[in-house]
Amino acid sequence: MNRQHQFEIERQVSPNSHFLYLKGELDLARAAELRAAADPYIAETSRSLVINLKDLQYIDSTGIGVILSLLKARHVLNAPITVEEIPPKIQRLFDMTGLTRFIQQASNEVN
């Protein structure tokens, strides 16, 4: 069975933020796409980086690692980053892996 994993990233820009809307399945085969899409916004500290997971159906450890690396990179630059609309099953993974505390810290820094 050779099923293609569907993954899409939609980008939007507002005066104050860069938005990345993740859709589908973020796994080892697609993690580099997320990193490449986010890289141009890492050092742009004048705008917040918002990662929306509303339509993300699956994430593996590689995808979690990419999100963690984005959180850390923005933290080092003292730049705001938010992960929002996390589906319950993905939130459970974030809780189990300890990623939730990094997401909460990043969100608290924005406020």
Side-chain angles (χ1 to χ4, degrees), residues 53 58-69 71-72 83 86 88-104:
L53 304 182
Y58 172 82
I59 188 169
D60 71 1
S61 60
T62 307
I64 290 171
V66 172
I67 290 176
L68 179 60
S69 71
L71 289 164
K72 287 183 175 182
V83 181
I86 305 168
K89 65 183 178 182
I90 293 175
Q91 182 64 58
R92 282 191 296 279
L93 285 173
F94 288 178
D95 292 345
M96 289 188 314
T97 60
L99 186 61
T100 299
R101 78 181 159 102
F102 292 105
I103 291 170
Q104 290 172 341

Side-chain angles (χ1 to χ4, degrees), residues 11-52:
R11 297 166 189 86
Q12 290 184 1
V13 178
S14 76
N16 298 320
S17 301
H18 289 286
F19 293 89
L20 297 176
Y21 294 89
L22 309 187
K23 300 175 184 179
E25 299 182 6
L26 176 55
D27 58 13
L28 174 64
R30 303 296 186 183
E33 289 178 47
L34 173 56
R35 188 62 199 204
D39 272 350
Y41 309 127
I42 295 298
E44 190 177 331
T45 60
S46 62
R47 289 188 174 137
S48 177
L49 177 59
V50 180
I51 303 170
N52 183 293

Side-chain angles (χ1 to χ4, degrees), residues 68-83:
L68 179 60
S69 71
L70 298 174
L71 289 164
K72 287 183 175 182
R74 295 285 289 190
H75 176 75
V76 166
L77 297 170
N78 199 26
I81 182 169
T82 304
V83 181

